[in-house]
Amino acid sequence: MSEAETPEQFDLVVIGAGPAGEKGAAQAAYFGKRVAIVECGDLGGAVVNTGTLPSKTLRETALYLSGLRARNLYGVEYSFGRPIAAEDLFYREKLIQRSQLELVESNIARHKIALFSGRGQLTGPHDVRVRARDGRETSLRAEYILVATGSRPAHPASVPFDGTCVYDSDTILHLTSIPASLIVVGGGVIGSEYATLFGAMGVRVTLVDAGARLLPFLDSELCDVLTRQMQDCGVDVRCSVQTSAIAVDGGGSGVTATLGDGSALHANALLYAIGRHGNTDGLGLEDAGIVPDARGRIGIDEHFRTTVPSVLAAGDVIGFPALASTSMEQARVAVCQAFGFAYKRQVSSLIPYGLYTIPEVSMVGESEDSLRAAGRPYLVGRAMFRGNARAQIAGDTTGLLKLLFDPDTRVLLGVHIIGERACELIHIGQMCMQFGGTIDAFIDNVFNFPTIADAYKYAAYDGLQALARERPTPG
Ligand SMILES: Cc1cc2nc3c(=O)[nH]c(=O)nc-3n(C[C@H](O)[C@H](O)[C@H](O)COP(=O)(O)OP(=O)(O)OC[C@H]3O[C@@H](n4cnc5c(N)ncnc54)[C@H](O)[C@@H]3O)c2cc1C
């Protein structure tokens, strides 16, 4: 009997070892289940290898090498001493990638999860075939299968991705030199993050987006602040502009983007950052009766089950919100629900969004735009970082922290922050919201001083003043 005909038995087989796969597998193994992970590439998925951590490490490196953080603090211009080379930019990214990979490896080993290197394919509701690079096949059988195969950058046929002039968010990590000029097509999270990162390094960046403004999900006031700061940093932001054609110049000397109005932009390089596609090709889903949508995403129910109850799916492959943070949590919940672990029943509906642009932006809960659209009354309390001692010391005086609350109950409805450490600071507001707190929580709370977190208290004071203006006490 061949190896392929004798399936190895597990309780759970996970396809994909990105954050969703790793955390889902570890969750099941932690509760004593026999678990296998199948991975066709490098462990860690987009978080470790191509997305989250590489881009965040590059951001820190760009801030450091460009001296942007040091500017205005000591009245001196910091200079790296020589032009910044691609090796300088990618040096720490490689170190972080290695150390994060070790963490994933040790998590898998600690939980005694069997690791199969190769491409996984469903061959039945409980069966997975693994095809290794050398062609050898192994069959696995499990009570449940978790599909956590992630996503990849969308590649429209009209865009000539060549990895030397025209990049996607994966191949931009293979730059061999820092371009003098860069066109970024797409003003979503990835496009905006990379535009500010390269802008900080002195690259002439043009960011083109077809929408009326960048990042439509963002509170419009913060979006305006971010756009202004991008422009101050030298990024040419062009909204409501279609890109009708992209062509590599003769001899690969650069790239030309033709815009909807017929004008053309030229640059040394172009980053195309629109859209992602679920990794479902060749997974055997259709044979199992699971039909992905046109963008390769798998539909699931509230228990993360596909149309085949023994096949679960989590992470980018199920689409929105396609974040590392939510992918991990979805997989944990999927596994807990499937095996009936009374531990984690659902993914919190209160999801924070973090943008590692320069400056950082983060939000949780409702925005002014969403509250207006819902016709729900609200008031705003603001604290500007320029009035905050720690922000002044850190040289970040352009930030803003904004609280949205219910005028009747004072319950906190949303928090929006732009500025230094926004992605960390947001969790204070998030926890308050998690427990149904009011803005009085910040007024009563004693904050370390000096801290940027103290801005919560001043935003709450400002909110109370807004309340007093709207509802003056009689007499
Ligand atoms: C540039 C960029 C920046 C980002 N920044 C952030 C951020 O700041 N914060 C945040 O929360 N999120 C961020 N994200 C999103 C985050 O990276 C993803 O949401 C997350 O990686 C999704 O995890 P996943 O496990 O679903 O999929 P992935 O990380 O894509 O992992 C899927 C894994 O499955 C493997 N695989 C695919 N098909 C098969 C198969 N047939 N057999 C075996 N293995 C297979 C792949 O090789 C891969 O390792 C960013 C993404 C990008 C691209």
Side-chain angles (χ1 to χ4, degrees), residues 14-22 37-56 116-121 128-130 147-153 169-170 172-173 189-191 193-194 276 279-283 314-319 321-328 330-331 352 354-356 423:
V14 178
I15 310 181
E22 181 208 340
I37 293 190
V38 183
E39 171 57 58
C40 64
D42 293 324
L43 296 177
V47 160
V48 173
N49 303 295
T50 51
T52 317
L53 298 177
S55 60
K56 269 79 251 182
F116 292 86
S117 185
R119 189 161 287 280
Q121 187 185 17
V128 172
R129 185 169 54 225
V130 185
V147 178
T149 49
S151 66
R152 59 180 185 276
S169 61
D170 287 359
I172 196 82
L173 299 173
V189 177
I190 294 173
E193 287 186 353
Y194 272 111
R276 294 188 65 84
N279 288 327
T280 44
D281 313 339
L283 254 184
D316 276 17
V317 78
I318 63 170
L323 293 168
S325 51
T326 48
S327 298
M328 296 186 240
Q330 288 165 350
L355 274 80
Y356 294 80
C423 296

Side-chain angles (χ1 to χ4, degrees), residues 382-393:
R382 290 184 182 78
M384 312 306 272
F385 280 23
R386 62 173 174 268
N388 176 285
R390 182 65 186 266
Q392 281 186 5
I393 294 168

Side-chain angles (χ1 to χ4, degrees), residues 14-32:
V14 178
I15 310 181
E22 181 208 340
K23 303 303 181 193
Q27 186 76 93
Y30 178 82
F31 284 110

Side-chain angles (χ1 to χ4, degrees), residues 269-282:
L270 182 144
L271 169 63
Y272 187 86
I274 301 179
R276 294 188 65 84
H277 196 94
N279 288 327
T280 44
D281 313 339

